[in-house]
Amino acid sequence: MPTTKKASAKKTILDDYLIISNFMNETLVHNEEPKNIYIFCEKHAISEADFYSFFGSFDSLKQEIWVKFFENATASIEKDEAYKNYTDKDKLLALYFTLFEIMNLNRSYILFTLKENKQGLKNLKFLKQFRNRFKEFIVDIIRQSATDGNEKFLKVSEPVFSEGAWIQFLFLLKFWMDDTSKGFEKTDVLIEKSVNTVVGLLDTKQLENLFDLGKFLWKERN
């Protein structure tokens, strides 16, 4: 990246990672989000034109942060040559465990965004694009495992299963936010049990898995 003697010289922005990194760091250091785009850009020597070439607002930037989490997770699991031969369950497990590993690395920012700013899960609006990517991933799993002659089943299962998986993810997210166990090991246990439940929606083990999950949750409450 070119440099100059003038401290106020603007950086040349080649991608959005620098903007995102500066935004997240500033939010955590000052325990509040930047006041406006002009002040943010001046502070980090970024031209407003560069900022707006990537983001139309701070809201769109915050949505993109979650999209990056998801894209990094899927890029990581799809590098594994064996992934394409995974079962539905293993694909979901790979996604969840990788995604939560990434979230662990960004836990302070996530907790601030969804918990510590007192607005709580009302800020789930910033997960809108993340939700779309997530549901597309789930639908892709269903279609890849589909067999001939079940087109009618697919029309019903795609929206139901993808929305159910999304609700499950929000449940996992809330549990992880409150998890104080070492290495978030309780979240790992819940991921295993809840994935069994969601995949079980498509087979006869559904009630057994729901009962197993219920026992785990009841134990954690007491």
Side-chain angles (χ1 to χ4, degrees), residues 89-221:
K89 175 184 174 181
D90 288 338
K91 287 179 179 179
L92 281 175
L93 285 174
L95 175 67
Y96 284 156
F97 281 129
T98 305
L99 186 55
F100 276 90
E101 284 179 9
I102 292 172
M103 288 167 58
N104 288 342
L105 298 176
N106 296 278
R107 183 174 173 86
S108 294
Y109 175 80
I110 293 172
L111 290 183
F112 175 83
T113 301
L114 299 180
K115 186 176 183 179
E116 295 178 1
N117 63 2
K118 308 304 181 184
Q119 294 187 48
L121 294 181
K122 291 181 181 179
N123 274 341
L124 286 176
K125 63 181 181 179
F126 299 125
L127 275 66
K128 181 179 180 181
Q129 295 303 320
F130 175 93
R131 176 178 180 272
N132 292 340
R133 298 294 186 91
F134 180 91
K135 293 183 70 173
E136 288 171 1
F137 181 92
I138 298 301
V139 167
D140 188 54
I141 288 179
I142 296 172
R143 290 176 177 174
Q144 288 182 18
S145 63
T147 57
D148 293 337
N150 66 348
E151 290 81 4
K152 183 177 180 180
F153 170 75
L154 281 177
K155 290 180 181 179
V156 175
S157 67
E158 285 184 7
V160 172
F161 191 65
S162 61
E163 188 62 31
W166 172 246
I167 293 172
Q168 176 210 37
F169 172 78
L170 293 181
F171 174 71
L172 288 171
L173 175 62
K174 180 61 170 63
F175 188 94
W176 171 81
M177 288 169 59
D178 296 331
D179 189 2
T180 57
S181 63
K182 181 180 178 181
F184 311 109
E185 56 189 15
K186 289 183 179 179
T187 297
D188 289 343
V189 172
L190 184 58
I191 287 174
E192 289 270 8
K193 291 182 177 296
S194 60
V195 165
N196 285 339
T197 300
V198 169
V199 174
L201 292 174
L202 298 179
D203 62 37
T204 58
K205 295 182 180 180
Q206 176 184 359
L207 294 180
E208 178 183 345
N209 288 326
L210 284 173
F211 181 69
D212 189 35
L213 176 60
K215 288 193 299 182
F216 173 80
L217 295 177
W218 179 256
K219 180 179 178 181
E220 290 306 311
R221 287 182 58 189

Side-chain angles (χ1 to χ4, degrees), residues 48-65:
E48 284 191 84
D50 278 344
F51 181 95
Y52 285 119
S53 70
F54 294 106
F55 309 107
S57 64
F58 280 146
D59 282 356
S60 63
L61 185 157
K62 286 183 281 188
Q63 288 202 46
E64 186 63 22
I65 289 172

Side-chain angles (χ1 to χ4, degrees), residues 76-87 90-91 94:
S76 177
I77 62 178
E78 289 172 0
K79 285 181 181 178
D80 187 349
E81 287 294 327
Y83 172 76
K84 60 186 177 181
N85 295 319
Y86 281 6
T87 63
D90 288 338
K91 287 179 179 179

